[in-house]
PDB file of all heavy atoms in Angstrom:
ATOM      1  N   ALA Q 154    -122.602  12.940  22.427  1.00  0.00           N
ATOM      2  CA  ALA Q 154    -123.340  12.407  21.287  1.00  0.00           C
ATOM      3  C   ALA Q 154    -124.840  12.671  21.385  1.00  0.00           C
ATOM      4  O   ALA Q 154    -125.598  12.237  20.511  1.00  0.00           O
ATOM      5  CB  ALA Q 154    -123.085  10.914  21.145  1.00  0.00           C
ATOM      6  N   GLY Q 155    -125.266  13.349  22.431  1.00  0.00           N
ATOM      7  CA  GLY Q 155    -126.669  13.666  22.597  1.00  0.00           C
ATOM      8  C   GLY Q 155    -127.509  12.552  23.183  1.00  0.00           C
ATOM      9  O   GLY Q 155    -128.740  12.648  23.186  1.00  0.00           O
ATOM     10  N   GLY Q 156    -126.859  11.523  23.723  1.00  0.00           N
ATOM     11  CA  GLY Q 156    -127.593  10.372  24.212  1.00  0.00           C
ATOM     12  C   GLY Q 156    -128.222  10.529  25.580  1.00  0.00           C
ATOM     13  O   GLY Q 156    -129.084   9.724  25.952  1.00  0.00           O
ATOM     14  N   SER Q 157    -127.803  11.525  26.329  1.00  0.00           N
ATOM     15  CA  SER Q 157    -128.325  11.732  27.675  1.00  0.00           C
ATOM     16  C   SER Q 157    -128.444  13.219  27.939  1.00  0.00           C
ATOM     17  O   SER Q 157    -127.569  13.998  27.540  1.00  0.00           O
ATOM     18  CB  SER Q 157    -127.410  11.077  28.712  1.00  0.00           C
ATOM     19  OG  SER Q 157    -127.938  11.222  30.013  1.00  0.00           O
ATOM     20  N   THR Q 158    -129.518  13.619  28.610  1.00  0.00           N
ATOM     21  CA  THR Q 158    -129.749  15.015  28.954  1.00  0.00           C
ATOM     22  C   THR Q 158    -130.138  15.137  30.412  1.00  0.00           C
ATOM     23  O   THR Q 158    -130.612  14.183  31.028  1.00  0.00           O
ATOM     24  CB  THR Q 158    -130.846  15.639  28.086  1.00  0.00           C
ATOM     25  OG1 THR Q 158    -132.066  14.902  28.249  1.00  0.00           O
ATOM     26  CG2 THR Q 158    -130.456  15.621  26.614  1.00  0.00           C
ATOM     27  N   SER Q 159    -129.948  16.337  30.965  1.00  0.00           N
ATOM     28  CA  SER Q 159    -130.368  16.623  32.317  1.00  0.00           C
ATOM     29  C   SER Q 159    -130.871  18.054  32.379  1.00  0.00           C
ATOM     30  O   SER Q 159    -130.472  18.902  31.574  1.00  0.00           O
ATOM     31  CB  SER Q 159    -129.230  16.410  33.319  1.00  0.00           C
ATOM     32  OG  SER Q 159    -128.139  17.271  33.046  1.00  0.00           O
ATOM     33  N   TYR Q 160    -131.759  18.337  33.351  1.00  0.00           N
ATOM     34  CA  TYR Q 160    -132.423  19.628  33.445  1.00  0.00           C
ATOM     35  C   TYR Q 160    -132.576  20.061  34.886  1.00  0.00           C
ATOM     36  O   TYR Q 160    -132.731  19.232  35.788  1.00  0.00           O
ATOM     37  CB  TYR Q 160    -133.820  19.570  32.811  1.00  0.00           C
ATOM     38  CG  TYR Q 160    -133.809  19.169  31.365  1.00  0.00           C
ATOM     39  CD1 TYR Q 160    -133.916  17.833  30.993  1.00  0.00           C
ATOM     40  CD2 TYR Q 160    -133.681  20.128  30.366  1.00  0.00           C
ATOM     41  CE1 TYR Q 160    -133.895  17.463  29.655  1.00  0.00           C
ATOM     42  CE2 TYR Q 160    -133.657  19.767  29.032  1.00  0.00           C
ATOM     43  CZ  TYR Q 160    -133.763  18.433  28.683  1.00  0.00           C
ATOM     44  OH  TYR Q 160    -133.738  18.069  27.358  1.00  0.00           O
ATOM     45  N   ALA Q 161    -132.556  21.368  35.086  1.00  0.00           N
ATOM     46  CA  ALA Q 161    -132.925  21.913  36.381  1.00  0.00           C
ATOM     47  C   ALA Q 161    -134.396  21.626  36.644  1.00  0.00           C
ATOM     48  O   ALA Q 161    -135.216  21.594  35.721  1.00  0.00           O
ATOM     49  CB  ALA Q 161    -132.676  23.418  36.415  1.00  0.00           C
ATOM     50  N   ASP Q 162    -134.744  21.423  37.912  1.00  0.00           N
ATOM     51  CA  ASP Q 162    -136.131  21.118  38.254  1.00  0.00           C
ATOM     52  C   ASP Q 162    -137.098  22.201  37.769  1.00  0.00           C
ATOM     53  O   ASP Q 162    -138.235  21.900  37.394  1.00  0.00           O
ATOM     54  CB  ASP Q 162    -136.278  20.948  39.768  1.00  0.00           C
ATOM     55  CG  ASP Q 162    -135.665  19.658  40.277  1.00  0.00           C
ATOM     56  OD1 ASP Q 162    -135.436  18.736  39.469  1.00  0.00           O
ATOM     57  OD2 ASP Q 162    -135.425  19.567  41.493  1.00  0.00           O
ATOM     58  N   SER Q 163    -136.651  23.434  37.745  1.00  0.00           N
ATOM     59  CA  SER Q 163    -137.516  24.545  37.374  1.00  0.00           C
ATOM     60  C   SER Q 163    -137.932  24.537  35.906  1.00  0.00           C
ATOM     61  O   SER Q 163    -138.917  25.184  35.546  1.00  0.00           O
ATOM     62  CB  SER Q 163    -136.837  25.874  37.710  1.00  0.00           C
ATOM     63  OG  SER Q 163    -135.605  26.000  37.018  1.00  0.00           O
ATOM     64  N   VAL Q 164    -137.192  23.824  35.048  1.00  0.00           N
ATOM     65  CA  VAL Q 164    -137.499  23.805  33.620  1.00  0.00           C
ATOM     66  C   VAL Q 164    -137.855  22.418  33.111  1.00  0.00           C
ATOM     67  O   VAL Q 164    -138.253  22.274  31.945  1.00  0.00           O
ATOM     68  CB  VAL Q 164    -136.343  24.382  32.782  1.00  0.00           C
ATOM     69  CG1 VAL Q 164    -135.937  25.752  33.302  1.00  0.00           C
ATOM     70  CG2 VAL Q 164    -135.147  23.438  32.772  1.00  0.00           C
ATOM     71  N   LYS Q 165    -137.737  21.404  33.935  1.00  0.00           N
ATOM     72  CA  LYS Q 165    -137.986  20.030  33.514  1.00  0.00           C
ATOM     73  C   LYS Q 165    -139.411  19.874  32.987  1.00  0.00           C
ATOM     74  O   LYS Q 165    -140.371  20.317  33.614  1.00  0.00           O
ATOM     75  CB  LYS Q 165    -137.733  19.080  34.685  1.00  0.00           C
ATOM     76  CG  LYS Q 165    -137.648  17.613  34.301  1.00  0.00           C
ATOM     77  CD  LYS Q 165    -137.191  16.773  35.496  1.00  0.00           C
ATOM     78  CE  LYS Q 165    -135.812  17.179  35.975  1.00  0.00           C
ATOM     79  NZ  LYS Q 165    -135.339  16.345  37.113  1.00  0.00           N
ATOM     80  N   GLY Q 166    -139.533  19.252  31.825  1.00  0.00           N
ATOM     81  CA  GLY Q 166    -140.824  19.067  31.191  1.00  0.00           C
ATOM     82  C   GLY Q 166    -141.213  20.180  30.252  1.00  0.00           C
ATOM     83  O   GLY Q 166    -142.168  20.030  29.476  1.00  0.00           O
ATOM     84  N   ARG Q 167    -140.514  21.300  30.309  1.00  0.00           N
ATOM     85  CA  ARG Q 167    -140.812  22.448  29.458  1.00  0.00           C
ATOM     86  C   ARG Q 167    -139.696  22.729  28.446  1.00  0.00           C
ATOM     87  O   ARG Q 167    -139.967  23.185  27.336  1.00  0.00           O
ATOM     88  CB  ARG Q 167    -141.047  23.703  30.288  1.00  0.00           C
ATOM     89  CG  ARG Q 167    -142.213  23.579  31.264  1.00  0.00           C
ATOM     90  CD  ARG Q 167    -142.519  24.910  31.952  1.00  0.00           C
ATOM     91  NE  ARG Q 167    -141.400  25.377  32.767  1.00  0.00           N
ATOM     92  CZ  ARG Q 167    -140.741  26.508  32.564  1.00  0.00           C
ATOM     93  NH1 ARG Q 167    -141.098  27.321  31.558  1.00  0.00           N
ATOM     94  NH2 ARG Q 167    -139.740  26.862  33.365  1.00  0.00           N
ATOM     95  N   PHE Q 168    -138.440  22.483  28.833  1.00  0.00           N
ATOM     96  CA  PHE Q 168    -137.287  22.762  27.982  1.00  0.00           C
ATOM     97  C   PHE Q 168    -136.698  21.456  27.470  1.00  0.00           C
ATOM     98  O   PHE Q 168    -136.722  20.430  28.167  1.00  0.00           O
ATOM     99  CB  PHE Q 168    -136.198  23.509  28.761  1.00  0.00           C
ATOM    100  CG  PHE Q 168    -136.519  24.928  29.139  1.00  0.00           C
ATOM    101  CD1 PHE Q 168    -137.795  25.453  29.014  1.00  0.00           C
ATOM    102  CD2 PHE Q 168    -135.512  25.743  29.637  1.00  0.00           C
ATOM    103  CE1 PHE Q 168    -138.077  26.760  29.368  1.00  0.00           C
ATOM    104  CE2 PHE Q 168    -135.774  27.054  29.999  1.00  0.00           C
ATOM    105  CZ  PHE Q 168    -137.060  27.564  29.866  1.00  0.00           C
ATOM    106  N   THR Q 169    -136.118  21.499  26.264  1.00  0.00           N
ATOM    107  CA  THR Q 169    -135.444  20.354  25.674  1.00  0.00           C
ATOM    108  C   THR Q 169    -134.126  20.807  25.061  1.00  0.00           C
ATOM    109  O   THR Q 169    -134.107  21.707  24.220  1.00  0.00           O
ATOM    110  CB  THR Q 169    -136.301  19.681  24.593  1.00  0.00           C
ATOM    111  OG1 THR Q 169    -137.559  19.288  25.142  1.00  0.00           O
ATOM    112  CG2 THR Q 169    -135.586  18.451  24.039  1.00  0.00           C
ATOM    113  N   VAL Q 170    -133.018  20.181  25.477  1.00  0.00           N
ATOM    114  CA  VAL Q 170    -131.711  20.491  24.912  1.00  0.00           C
ATOM    115  C   VAL Q 170    -131.358  19.433  23.865  1.00  0.00           C
ATOM    116  O   VAL Q 170    -131.640  18.242  24.053  1.00  0.00           O
ATOM    117  CB  VAL Q 170    -130.634  20.582  26.012  1.00  0.00           C
ATOM    118  CG1 VAL Q 170    -130.476  19.261  26.761  1.00  0.00           C
ATOM    119  CG2 VAL Q 170    -129.306  21.046  25.440  1.00  0.00           C
ATOM    120  N   SER Q 171    -130.766  19.861  22.754  1.00  0.00           N
ATOM    121  CA  SER Q 171    -130.349  18.953  21.699  1.00  0.00           C
ATOM    122  C   SER Q 171    -129.088  19.504  21.048  1.00  0.00           C
ATOM    123  O   SER Q 171    -128.667  20.626  21.348  1.00  0.00           O
ATOM    124  CB  SER Q 171    -131.458  18.760  20.663  1.00  0.00           C
ATOM    125  OG  SER Q 171    -131.790  19.989  20.044  1.00  0.00           O
ATOM    126  N   ARG Q 172    -128.472  18.720  20.149  1.00  0.00           N
ATOM    127  CA  ARG Q 172    -127.255  19.201  19.491  1.00  0.00           C
ATOM    128  C   ARG Q 172    -127.124  18.601  18.106  1.00  0.00           C
ATOM    129  O   ARG Q 172    -127.675  17.539  17.809  1.00  0.00           O
ATOM    130  CB  ARG Q 172    -126.016  18.881  20.336  1.00  0.00           C
ATOM    131  CG  ARG Q 172    -125.707  17.398  20.471  1.00  0.00           C
ATOM    132  CD  ARG Q 172    -124.651  17.171  21.548  1.00  0.00           C
ATOM    133  NE  ARG Q 172    -123.366  17.752  21.189  1.00  0.00           N
ATOM    134  CZ  ARG Q 172    -122.382  18.007  22.046  1.00  0.00           C
ATOM    135  NH1 ARG Q 172    -122.554  17.734  23.344  1.00  0.00           N
ATOM    136  NH2 ARG Q 172    -121.239  18.532  21.630  1.00  0.00           N
ATOM    137  N   ASP Q 173    -126.364  19.304  17.259  1.00  0.00           N
ATOM    138  CA  ASP Q 173    -126.032  18.852  15.916  1.00  0.00           C
ATOM    139  C   ASP Q 173    -124.518  18.947  15.804  1.00  0.00           C
ATOM    140  O   ASP Q 173    -123.967  20.042  15.687  1.00  0.00           O
ATOM    141  CB  ASP Q 173    -126.718  19.722  14.865  1.00  0.00           C
ATOM    142  CG  ASP Q 173    -126.493  19.232  13.445  1.00  0.00           C
ATOM    143  OD1 ASP Q 173    -125.461  18.602  13.173  1.00  0.00           O
ATOM    144  OD2 ASP Q 173    -127.368  19.482  12.593  1.00  0.00           O
ATOM    145  N   ASN Q 174    -123.837  17.810  15.866  1.00  0.00           N
ATOM    146  CA  ASN Q 174    -122.379  17.816  15.881  1.00  0.00           C
ATOM    147  C   ASN Q 174    -121.768  18.116  14.516  1.00  0.00           C
ATOM    148  O   ASN Q 174    -120.582  18.433  14.426  1.00  0.00           O
ATOM    149  CB  ASN Q 174    -121.853  16.489  16.430  1.00  0.00           C
ATOM    150  CG  ASN Q 174    -122.010  16.391  17.941  1.00  0.00           C
ATOM    151  OD1 ASN Q 174    -122.277  17.383  18.613  1.00  0.00           O
ATOM    152  ND2 ASN Q 174    -121.850  15.195  18.477  1.00  0.00           N
ATOM    153  N   VAL Q 175    -122.550  18.002  13.436  1.00  0.00           N
ATOM    154  CA  VAL Q 175    -122.067  18.405  12.122  1.00  0.00           C
ATOM    155  C   VAL Q 175    -122.046  19.925  12.028  1.00  0.00           C
ATOM    156  O   VAL Q 175    -121.078  20.521  11.549  1.00  0.00           O
ATOM    157  CB  VAL Q 175    -122.926  17.796  11.001  1.00  0.00           C
ATOM    158  CG1 VAL Q 175    -122.496  18.349   9.643  1.00  0.00           C
ATOM    159  CG2 VAL Q 175    -122.817  16.281  11.018  1.00  0.00           C
ATOM    160  N   LYS Q 176    -123.109  20.559  12.492  1.00  0.00           N
ATOM    161  CA  LYS Q 176    -123.183  22.017  12.502  1.00  0.00           C
ATOM    162  C   LYS Q 176    -122.459  22.635  13.691  1.00  0.00           C
ATOM    163  O   LYS Q 176    -122.329  23.861  13.750  1.00  0.00           O
ATOM    164  CB  LYS Q 176    -124.637  22.468  12.513  1.00  0.00           C
ATOM    165  CG  LYS Q 176    -125.410  22.084  11.267  1.00  0.00           C
ATOM    166  CD  LYS Q 176    -126.838  22.599  11.334  1.00  0.00           C
ATOM    167  CE  LYS Q 176    -127.608  22.267  10.075  1.00  0.00           C
ATOM    168  NZ  LYS Q 176    -129.011  22.760  10.146  1.00  0.00           N
ATOM    169  N   LYS Q 177    -121.995  21.811  14.641  1.00  0.00           N
ATOM    170  CA  LYS Q 177    -121.319  22.285  15.852  1.00  0.00           C
ATOM    171  C   LYS Q 177    -122.191  23.293  16.588  1.00  0.00           C
ATOM    172  O   LYS Q 177    -121.752  24.383  16.969  1.00  0.00           O
ATOM    173  CB  LYS Q 177    -119.945  22.865  15.517  1.00  0.00           C
ATOM    174  CG  LYS Q 177    -119.003  21.857  14.883  1.00  0.00           C
ATOM    175  CD  LYS Q 177    -117.685  22.475  14.467  1.00  0.00           C
ATOM    176  CE  LYS Q 177    -116.878  22.936  15.652  1.00  0.00           C
ATOM    177  NZ  LYS Q 177    -115.538  23.440  15.231  1.00  0.00           N
ATOM    178  N   THR Q 178    -123.439  22.913  16.797  1.00  0.00           N
ATOM    179  CA  THR Q 178    -124.430  23.787  17.410  1.00  0.00           C
ATOM    180  C   THR Q 178    -125.233  23.016  18.451  1.00  0.00           C
ATOM    181  O   THR Q 178    -125.595  21.860  18.226  1.00  0.00           O
ATOM    182  CB  THR Q 178    -125.375  24.367  16.347  1.00  0.00           C
ATOM    183  OG1 THR Q 178    -124.612  25.108  15.385  1.00  0.00           O
ATOM    184  CG2 THR Q 178    -126.407  25.287  16.976  1.00  0.00           C
ATOM    185  N   VAL Q 179    -125.501  23.664  19.583  1.00  0.00           N
ATOM    186  CA  VAL Q 179    -126.382  23.118  20.601  1.00  0.00           C
ATOM    187  C   VAL Q 179    -127.619  24.004  20.685  1.00  0.00           C
ATOM    188  O   VAL Q 179    -127.530  25.226  20.512  1.00  0.00           O
ATOM    189  CB  VAL Q 179    -125.660  22.990  21.965  1.00  0.00           C
ATOM    190  CG1 VAL Q 179    -125.184  24.344  22.465  1.00  0.00           C
ATOM    191  CG2 VAL Q 179    -126.552  22.306  22.985  1.00  0.00           C
ATOM    192  N   TYR Q 180    -128.775  23.387  20.927  1.00  0.00           N
ATOM    193  CA  TYR Q 180    -130.045  24.087  20.918  1.00  0.00           C
ATOM    194  C   TYR Q 180    -130.751  23.954  22.259  1.00  0.00           C
ATOM    195  O   TYR Q 180    -130.530  22.994  23.006  1.00  0.00           O
ATOM    196  CB  TYR Q 180    -130.971  23.519  19.840  1.00  0.00           C
ATOM    197  CG  TYR Q 180    -130.384  23.526  18.456  1.00  0.00           C
ATOM    198  CD1 TYR Q 180    -129.741  22.405  17.942  1.00  0.00           C
ATOM    199  CD2 TYR Q 180    -130.474  24.663  17.654  1.00  0.00           C
ATOM    200  CE1 TYR Q 180    -129.202  22.413  16.669  1.00  0.00           C
ATOM    201  CE2 TYR Q 180    -129.937  24.672  16.378  1.00  0.00           C
ATOM    202  CZ  TYR Q 180    -129.304  23.549  15.889  1.00  0.00           C
ATOM    203  OH  TYR Q 180    -128.772  23.563  14.624  1.00  0.00           O
ATOM    204  N   LEU Q 181    -131.616  24.910  22.551  1.00  0.00           N
ATOM    205  CA  LEU Q 181    -132.493  24.828  23.712  1.00  0.00           C
ATOM    206  C   LEU Q 181    -133.897  25.221  23.273  1.00  0.00           C
ATOM    207  O   LEU Q 181    -134.156  26.393  22.994  1.00  0.00           O
ATOM    208  CB  LEU Q 181    -132.017  25.738  24.848  1.00  0.00           C
ATOM    209  CG  LEU Q 181    -132.799  25.612  26.158  1.00  0.00           C
ATOM    210  CD1 LEU Q 181    -132.579  24.236  26.786  1.00  0.00           C
ATOM    211  CD2 LEU Q 181    -132.411  26.708  27.142  1.00  0.00           C
ATOM    212  N   GLN Q 182    -134.787  24.235  23.180  1.00  0.00           N
ATOM    213  CA  GLN Q 182    -136.186  24.485  22.870  1.00  0.00           C
ATOM    214  C   GLN Q 182    -136.912  24.792  24.168  1.00  0.00           C
ATOM    215  O   GLN Q 182    -136.913  23.965  25.084  1.00  0.00           O
ATOM    216  CB  GLN Q 182    -136.815  23.272  22.188  1.00  0.00           C
ATOM    217  CG  GLN Q 182    -138.298  23.429  21.869  1.00  0.00           C
ATOM    218  CD  GLN Q 182    -138.567  24.476  20.826  1.00  0.00           C
ATOM    219  OE1 GLN Q 182    -137.905  24.508  19.792  1.00  0.00           O
ATOM    220  NE2 GLN Q 182    -139.526  25.352  21.077  1.00  0.00           N
ATOM    221  N   MET Q 183    -137.534  25.956  24.251  1.00  0.00           N
ATOM    222  CA  MET Q 183    -138.203  26.407  25.463  1.00  0.00           C
ATOM    223  C   MET Q 183    -139.687  26.568  25.176  1.00  0.00           C
ATOM    224  O   MET Q 183    -140.078  27.395  24.348  1.00  0.00           O
ATOM    225  CB  MET Q 183    -137.608  27.725  25.953  1.00  0.00           C
ATOM    226  CG  MET Q 183    -136.097  27.680  26.151  1.00  0.00           C
ATOM    227  SD  MET Q 183    -135.439  29.202  26.893  1.00  0.00           S
ATOM    228  CE  MET Q 183    -135.863  30.375  25.601  1.00  0.00           C
ATOM    229  N   ASN Q 184    -140.508  25.783  25.848  1.00  0.00           N
ATOM    230  CA  ASN Q 184    -141.953  25.832  25.700  1.00  0.00           C
ATOM    231  C   ASN Q 184    -142.601  26.236  27.019  1.00  0.00           C
ATOM    232  O   ASN Q 184    -141.987  26.161  28.079  1.00  0.00           O
ATOM    233  CB  ASN Q 184    -142.496  24.471  25.257  1.00  0.00           C
ATOM    234  CG  ASN Q 184    -141.965  24.020  23.924  1.00  0.00           C
ATOM    235  OD1 ASN Q 184    -141.722  24.827  23.025  1.00  0.00           O
ATOM    236  ND2 ASN Q 184    -141.792  22.713  23.770  1.00  0.00           N
ATOM    237  N   SER Q 185    -143.858  26.638  26.948  1.00  0.00           N
ATOM    238  CA  SER Q 185    -144.626  27.019  28.138  1.00  0.00           C
ATOM    239  C   SER Q 185    -143.851  27.996  29.003  1.00  0.00           C
ATOM    240  O   SER Q 185    -143.749  27.846  30.226  1.00  0.00           O
ATOM    241  CB  SER Q 185    -145.008  25.766  28.937  1.00  0.00           C
ATOM    242  OG  SER Q 185    -145.762  24.865  28.153  1.00  0.00           O
ATOM    243  N   LEU Q 186    -143.320  29.023  28.380  1.00  0.00           N
ATOM    244  CA  LEU Q 186    -142.445  29.963  29.079  1.00  0.00           C
ATOM    245  C   LEU Q 186    -143.197  30.740  30.156  1.00  0.00           C
ATOM    246  O   LEU Q 186    -144.371  31.074  29.999  1.00  0.00           O
ATOM    247  CB  LEU Q 186    -141.805  30.919  28.086  1.00  0.00           C
ATOM    248  CG  LEU Q 186    -140.648  30.296  27.297  1.00  0.00           C
ATOM    249  CD1 LEU Q 186    -140.355  31.115  26.045  1.00  0.00           C
ATOM    250  CD2 LEU Q 186    -139.407  30.202  28.180  1.00  0.00           C
ATOM    251  N   LYS Q 187    -142.486  31.003  31.247  1.00  0.00           N
ATOM    252  CA  LYS Q 187    -143.011  31.724  32.400  1.00  0.00           C
ATOM    253  C   LYS Q 187    -142.201  32.991  32.620  1.00  0.00           C
ATOM    254  O   LYS Q 187    -141.033  33.066  32.226  1.00  0.00           O
ATOM    255  CB  LYS Q 187    -142.922  30.846  33.652  1.00  0.00           C
ATOM    256  CG  LYS Q 187    -143.620  29.504  33.545  1.00  0.00           C
ATOM    257  CD  LYS Q 187    -143.361  28.672  34.794  1.00  0.00           C
ATOM    258  CE  LYS Q 187    -144.040  27.324  34.711  1.00  0.00           C
ATOM    259  NZ  LYS Q 187    -143.775  26.506  35.923  1.00  0.00           N
ATOM    260  N   PRO Q 188    -142.777  34.005  33.282  1.00  0.00           N
ATOM    261  CA  PRO Q 188    -142.003  35.218  33.557  1.00  0.00           C
ATOM    262  C   PRO Q 188    -140.697  34.943  34.298  1.00  0.00           C
ATOM    263  O   PRO Q 188    -139.708  35.644  34.059  1.00  0.00           O
ATOM    264  CB  PRO Q 188    -142.966  36.052  34.413  1.00  0.00           C
ATOM    265  CG  PRO Q 188    -144.317  35.638  33.940  1.00  0.00           C
ATOM    266  CD  PRO Q 188    -144.195  34.158  33.668  1.00  0.00           C
ATOM    267  N   GLU Q 189    -140.663  33.943  35.168  1.00  0.00           N
ATOM    268  CA  GLU Q 189    -139.453  33.628  35.895  1.00  0.00           C
ATOM    269  C   GLU Q 189    -138.353  33.025  35.027  1.00  0.00           C
ATOM    270  O   GLU Q 189    -137.227  32.832  35.491  1.00  0.00           O
ATOM    271  CB  GLU Q 189    -139.745  32.707  37.092  1.00  0.00           C
ATOM    272  CG  GLU Q 189    -140.567  31.485  36.738  1.00  0.00           C
ATOM    273  CD  GLU Q 189    -142.046  31.660  37.038  1.00  0.00           C
ATOM    274  OE1 GLU Q 189    -142.597  32.729  36.683  1.00  0.00           O
ATOM    275  OE2 GLU Q 189    -142.653  30.747  37.621  1.00  0.00           O
ATOM    276  N   ASP Q 190    -138.653  32.721  33.760  1.00  0.00           N
ATOM    277  CA  ASP Q 190    -137.632  32.281  32.819  1.00  0.00           C
ATOM    278  C   ASP Q 190    -136.862  33.452  32.226  1.00  0.00           C
ATOM    279  O   ASP Q 190    -135.882  33.237  31.498  1.00  0.00           O
ATOM    280  CB  ASP Q 190    -138.254  31.473  31.681  1.00  0.00           C
ATOM    281  CG  ASP Q 190    -138.882  30.171  32.152  1.00  0.00           C
ATOM    282  OD1 ASP Q 190    -138.279  29.480  32.995  1.00  0.00           O
ATOM    283  OD2 ASP Q 190    -139.981  29.840  31.662  1.00  0.00           O
TER     284      ASP Q 190
END
């Protein structure tokens, strides 16, 4: 239901995962991108 999320330490604070269960789609918002991404 999107109520809880978890992240790898390497992306925590920069990436955000979300979902839309009506559209049956999951998203990953990636900010402050680094070459190692």
Side-chain angles (χ1 to χ4, degrees):
S157 183
T158 59
S159 61
Y160 301 91
D162 288 342
S163 59
V164 308
K165 193 172 299 182
R167 300 187 297 118
F168 290 11
T169 303
V170 61
S171 61
R172 66 192 295 162
D173 184 332
N174 285 347
V175 174
K176 296 182 178 179
K177 299 176 66 175
T178 301
V179 61
Y180 304 95
L181 186 67
Q182 178 67 47
M183 306 186 297
N184 299 326
S185 302
L186 283 162
K187 304 175 180 179
E189 50 262 46
D190 296 318

